[in-house]
């Protein structure tokens, strides 16, 4: 998934981002509400992890903008305030979930994963196609009875191809969902990752390349 973390405490923001990247997500970071709105205007996010008390533009106003834009992005609101009234207020703004600080990173990651499933068309919890079995929760991939060890990017790319259920996935979409904002749009990263993924999955090859269109697992 493509995730935006909006948190003004830099160390916490980077810690959240790294935890989510370990789950093979593409993560961007904004340290204030204004920067968050700039990124939301450019990128298509599945989930926004949003601190409520932000400088420049308050987190409540960022949440309102996400809702008003009719974006598919789901909002997980973070706050140091743990009172029931604060949670109700946050949810009434349009946030999809609410997590008080301090929190366990594992719980945050699980909530993000759950929201991500709601932001896109429903798919089975375990993806299966062409003899490939991918379990996102356990980060495991098998082809037949053989375990396939993948890098984070390879895992993320294979997830997107399997989610497409046989449809063609463009290189632009893969770059959007698997890499973050630091990725060069003219890079050959997608093509090279597909080549490595094909090699690891073994024969017969299951990933098709459609020149000028993208990739698919038929």
């Amino acid at each position: 998934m493509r995730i935006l973390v909006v948190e003004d405490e830099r160390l916490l923001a980077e810690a959240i981002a790294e935890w989510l990247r370990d789950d093979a997500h593409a993560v961007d970071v904004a340290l204030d509400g204004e920067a968050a709105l700039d990124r939301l205007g450019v990128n298509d996010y599945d989930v926004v992890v949003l601190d409520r008390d932000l400088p420049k533009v308050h987190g409540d106003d960022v949440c309102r903008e996400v809702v008003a834009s009719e974006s598919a992005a789901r909002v997980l609101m973070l706050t140091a305030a743990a009172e029931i009234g604060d949670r109700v207020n946050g949810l009434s703004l349009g946030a999809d979930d609410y997590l008080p600080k301090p929190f366990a990173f594992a719980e945050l990651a699980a909530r993000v994963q759950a929201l991500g499933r709601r932001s896109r068309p429903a798919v089975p919890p375990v993806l299966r196609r062409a003899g490939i079995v991918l379990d996102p929760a356990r980060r495991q991939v098998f082809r037949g009875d053989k375990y396939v060890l993948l890098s984070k990017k390879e895992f993320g790319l294979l997830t997107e191809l399997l989610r497409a259920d046989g449809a063609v996935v463009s290189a632009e979409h893969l770059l959007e969902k698997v890499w973050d904002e630091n990725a060069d749009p003219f890079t050959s990263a997608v093509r090279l990752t597909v080549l490595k993924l094909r090699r690891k999955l073994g024969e017969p090859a299951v990933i098709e390349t459609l020149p000028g269109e993208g990739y698919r697992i038929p």
Side-chain angles (χ1 to χ4, degrees):
M1 291 186 293
R2 185 76 178 268
I3 301 166
L4 176 63
V5 174
V6 191
E7 165 62 59
D8 63 322
E9 296 182 32
R10 183 182 294 273
L11 291 178
L12 178 57
E14 290 298 339
I16 294 172
E18 284 307 308
W19 188 278
L20 295 173
R21 287 173 185 141
D22 282 344
D23 281 343
H25 301 305
V27 186
D28 298 335
V29 174
L31 299 177
D32 60 66
E34 186 175 88
L37 292 177
D38 288 343
R39 286 166 172 77
L40 286 162
V42 174
N43 300 312
D44 178 22
Y45 293 103
D46 297 293
V47 178
V48 180
V49 179
L50 178 65
D51 184 36
R52 194 171 185 186
D53 189 16
L54 293 171
K56 297 189 178 180
V57 178
H58 196 275
D60 289 359
D61 295 320
V62 174
C63 185
R64 290 189 185 97
E65 286 292 328
V66 173
V67 174
S69 70
E70 299 183 351
S71 166
R74 302 293 181 173
V75 177
L76 172 59
M77 189 168 278
L78 306 177
T79 182
E83 297 297 326
I84 295 296
D86 293 304
R87 301 188 192 194
V88 171
N89 289 338
L91 294 170
S92 69
L93 294 170
D96 299 278
D97 199 359
Y98 199 100
L99 189 61
K101 299 177 181 177
F103 52 81
F105 286 123
E107 180 181 4
L108 182 144
R111 289 176 181 245
V112 165
Q113 192 73 34
L115 289 176
R117 288 195 294 268
R118 291 165 53 188
S119 73
R120 304 165 74 177
V123 296
V126 176
L127 302 172
R128 305 171 188 270
R129 192 171 188 85
I132 299 169
V133 178
L134 183 149
D135 186 336
R138 293 182 174 86
R139 282 211 66 228
Q140 292 180 339
V141 175
F142 289 86
R143 184 170 188 187
D145 58 359
K146 178 187 175 184
Y147 175 72
V148 183
L149 180 62
L150 301 180
S151 71
K152 296 173 188 177
K153 297 305 183 190
E154 291 161 356
F155 187 90
L157 191 148
L158 181 59
T159 300
E160 291 299 317
L161 292 177
L162 291 174
R163 285 182 62 96
D165 197 25
V168 178
V169 183
S170 70
E172 291 77 13
H173 176 88
L174 292 170
L175 198 63
E176 172 79 18
K177 294 300 182 183
V178 183
W179 281 261
D180 60 26
E181 64 184 355
N182 296 315
D184 182 349
F186 301 104
T187 184
S188 59
V190 172
R191 181 178 60 83
L192 293 175
T193 303
V194 168
L195 289 174
K196 293 177 183 177
L197 184 56
R198 280 197 184 108
R199 185 164 57 248
K200 289 187 177 183
L201 291 173
E203 297 294 338
V206 292
I207 302 175
E208 291 185 353
T209 299
L210 287 81
E213 298 182 50
Y215 307 91
R216 71 176 177 184
I217 298 178

